[in-house]
Amino acid sequence: MTVHARIAEVTERIVKRSHDNRSRYLDRIRADGGKGPRRSTLACGNLAHGFAACTVSDKAALAGDVVPNLGIITAYNDMLSAHQPYETYPELIRQAARDAGAVAQVAGGVPAMCDGVTQGQSGMELSLFSRDIIAMSTAIGLSHAMFDAAVYLGICDKIVPGLVIGALSFGHLPAIFIPAGPMTSGITNDEKAKTRQLYAEGKVGRAELLESESKSYHGPGTCTFYGTANSNQMLMEIMGLHMPGASFINPGTPLREALTREAAKRALAISALGNEYTPVGEVIDERAIVNGVVGLHATGGSTNHTMHLVAMANAAGIKLTWDDISELSDVVPLLARVYPNGKADVNHFQAAGGMGFLIRELLSAGLLHKDVRTVNGTGLDGYTVEAKLNDDGTVRRDAAPAVSGDEKVLAPMPKAFQANGGLKVLDGNMGRAVIKISAVAAERHIIEAPARVFNSQDDLQAAFKRGELTGDVVAVVRFQGPKACGMPELHKLTPALGILQDKGLKVALVTDGRMSGASGKVPAAIHVTPEACDGGPIARIQDGDVIRVDAVKGTLEVLVDAAEFNARPLATYDLSANQTGTGRDLFAPFRALVGTADTGAHVFGS
């Protein structure tokens, strides 16, 4: 099957736009990717420091110039359910390396914070910037010239994008990402959402809410809804950085451990010391980035990736734009219904056929580039499989199911849930924004209503509790962008806005902040750029202005006379309270340097 004309066209446009940057990037990593162990460049004193704490046998191996050394970058901590399983991975990886006649060392740790814990709290204002800290921490871990390849242990929202950016800064090293998998299913997402809404209405108390949340988030592994964490795992697989079929296997299972051991051995096999040298900077090319965007659309993935994918691509010298993402959305159908886009969770998605089924369906329609490099050594057709466990504890791969196990969760191409992807880009006199429509009912794809302007999410919550929001409304929440306060997620607003919508009102959210990867049934034009703090038009909106959010035409407009609107002064807001305490004062340089949402909201320059 030849690649779809639009996919080819957008890819070629990205290639041309990126040519100079990409060429410089490839020249650099190829110059760094010479033969022989990396540590051969170290003086004896350097090397002695590098293996001082190793076992006698590992020291002997590292003293020579034959044995490869595998670096482990880990986001382990035992407070976050998704990362807790990583506690035991380093020893599994070290033993797998020894079995392969090699050595593995933990090169460094990176922070891992959880938007679920910090939602609505001041700590959330560090969340987006934690991605760039993770990238820098990764680079520090790999800076010792001790490693011939690396594996990356990370799974959640900012962690995987940060690890990818860091890995690409060492693009001459092969890289495999090792997931920990989702927790087993708890109560249904509908039950959880209902209790949240009842709590917002004051009909149940905190004890009932906590009981419900604890039955949903109940054990090791990622949250099971399809937010940014699970979108990350989809991306790593469809972009060829996971071993095939690895994304959604539950923690603590024999298959999960076997996949971890296999990934470690494969990372060593694709180092420059072997015959299949596969540097990560060449795996992540323009085609792989387009495949990632296609996967995001086909699954109704996280809005956060309209920034993360742009930032990851930039780290490889590739210029991805929101226009590219929007054009691809027009031709990629929605094939998955996982909460908040449906009632199922990722375990149901996996049971229905998972990534192997999804990739095969997209390949069959020419919507993915098949001829890409992957860590598996195959093209993307090598990922149309399901991982299974052999009796001897090794991994085998069977062809993905020919038929979906549940077409209400994972559809074949002829029965796609909708003709286009779950993400749209909006343009208009309010700037540019992103909207996720895969979970929004069709009759709400266009909302026109008077604005109610808030300068913080707390102000909106207070107005809701006072009973002030009684009519159709476009809630404008501004001064939430990266320059203002680090661009926190505003998912805490979902229950209140959902209640208003359920009363039959026309409701939408417009913000220069982020919504969660779990953006749901309320239409939300997010990541508005330029942001209010940067002189964006959103700073001119006043209460009562009629705003039209049109996800069909892709527009975001304030219906005010242009001359009058442009003559208005820009609103200001005292952000001093958002810039100190909870570590926020340490991030002042990031707020000063950060780019716009549509260029990835990163601090690393062009």
Side-chain angles (χ1 to χ4, degrees), residues 535-570:
I538 192 172
R540 290 193 168 95
I541 303 298
Q542 297 177 358
D543 285 345
D545 289 346
V546 175
I547 293 176
R548 183 178 177 87
V549 179
D550 189 335
V552 177
K553 291 184 178 178
T555 58
L556 177 63
E557 300 279 347
V558 55
L559 306 183
V560 175
D561 175 77
E564 176 195 338
F565 185 69
N566 292 330
R568 288 179 183 174
L570 294 166

Side-chain angles (χ1 to χ4, degrees), residues 46-289:
N46 301 141
L47 184 56
H49 277 84
F51 62 47
C54 288
T55 65
V56 172
S57 60
D58 284 352
K59 274 185 186 178
L62 291 176
D65 285 342
V66 178
V67 172
N69 191 21
L70 180 64
I72 304 167
I73 301 290
T74 178
Y76 163 72
N77 68 56
D78 64 6
M79 186 269 289
L80 302 183
S81 63
H83 292 87
Q84 184 271 347
Y86 286 134
E87 181 174 13
T88 61
Y89 278 35
E91 187 50 41
L92 275 175
I93 293 166
R94 280 191 285 264
Q95 190 55 56
R98 290 182 187 120
D99 292 345
V103 177
Q105 295 177 291
V106 173
V110 303
M113 65 179 293
C114 176
D115 291 1
V117 176
T118 58
Q119 195 65 248
Q121 307 296 319
S122 58
M124 173 61 85
E125 295 177 13
L126 310 185
S127 174
L128 180 61
F129 290 141
S130 76
R131 179 196 65 190
D132 296 5
I133 291 290
I134 289 161
M136 290 187 279
S137 299
T138 299
I140 290 169
L142 296 175
S143 67
H144 300 94
M146 285 287 294
F147 307 107
D148 304 293
V151 290
Y152 297 85
L153 313 183
I155 201 161
C156 281
D157 296 18
K158 315 309 168 299
I159 294 90
V160 167
L163 290 172
V164 171
I165 294 168
L168 288 168
S169 75
F170 282 75
H172 59 286
L173 293 179
I176 296 183
F177 282 66
I178 302 180
M183 67 178 70
T184 56
S185 300
I187 64 169
T188 68
N189 289 301
D190 272 358
E191 289 178 85
K192 176 182 67 177
K194 182 179 179 182
T195 304
R196 286 180 175 179
Q197 193 148 319
L198 289 172
Y199 179 77
E201 293 175 291
K203 294 179 179 178
V204 300
R206 182 178 171 85
E208 291 87 350
L209 178 63
L210 182 57
E211 181 183 10
S212 170
E213 298 288 339
S214 298
K215 288 178 178 178
S216 178
Y217 309 115
H218 63 90
T222 59
C223 308
T224 58
F225 66 85
Y226 194 57
T228 311
N230 287 315
S231 296
N232 283 339
Q233 305 319 303
M234 179 280 299
L235 284 173
M236 292 301 95
E237 187 149 347
I238 209 166
M239 292 169 70
L241 292 178
H242 274 176
M243 296 302 291
S247 293
F248 298 119
I249 306 300
N250 300 123
T253 60
L255 179 55
R256 179 81 277 157
E257 291 190 2
L259 284 162
T260 299
R261 289 191 293 268
E262 179 193 54
K265 292 179 179 179
R266 181 63 188 168
L268 290 161
I270 61 176
S271 78
L273 279 69
N275 296 320
E276 299 181 75
Y277 179 45
T278 310
V280 66
E282 297 197 19
V283 171
I284 300 303
D285 63 8
E286 295 89 345
R287 296 166 302 167
I289 292 293

Side-chain angles (χ1 to χ4, degrees), residues 321-366:
T321 70
W322 279 5
D323 291 325
D324 301 324
I325 295 172
S326 189
E327 285 196 38
L328 291 169
S329 178
D330 292 339
V331 298
V332 178
L334 182 69
L335 299 183
R337 284 277 188 211
V338 183
Y339 186 83
N341 304 328
K343 297 181 183 297
D345 66 24
V346 292
N347 292 311
H348 303 130
F349 170 82
Q350 175 71 10
M355 289 300 299
F357 182 93
L358 176 80
I359 290 171
R360 191 188 61 224
E361 290 299 300
L362 292 169
L363 281 171
S364 72

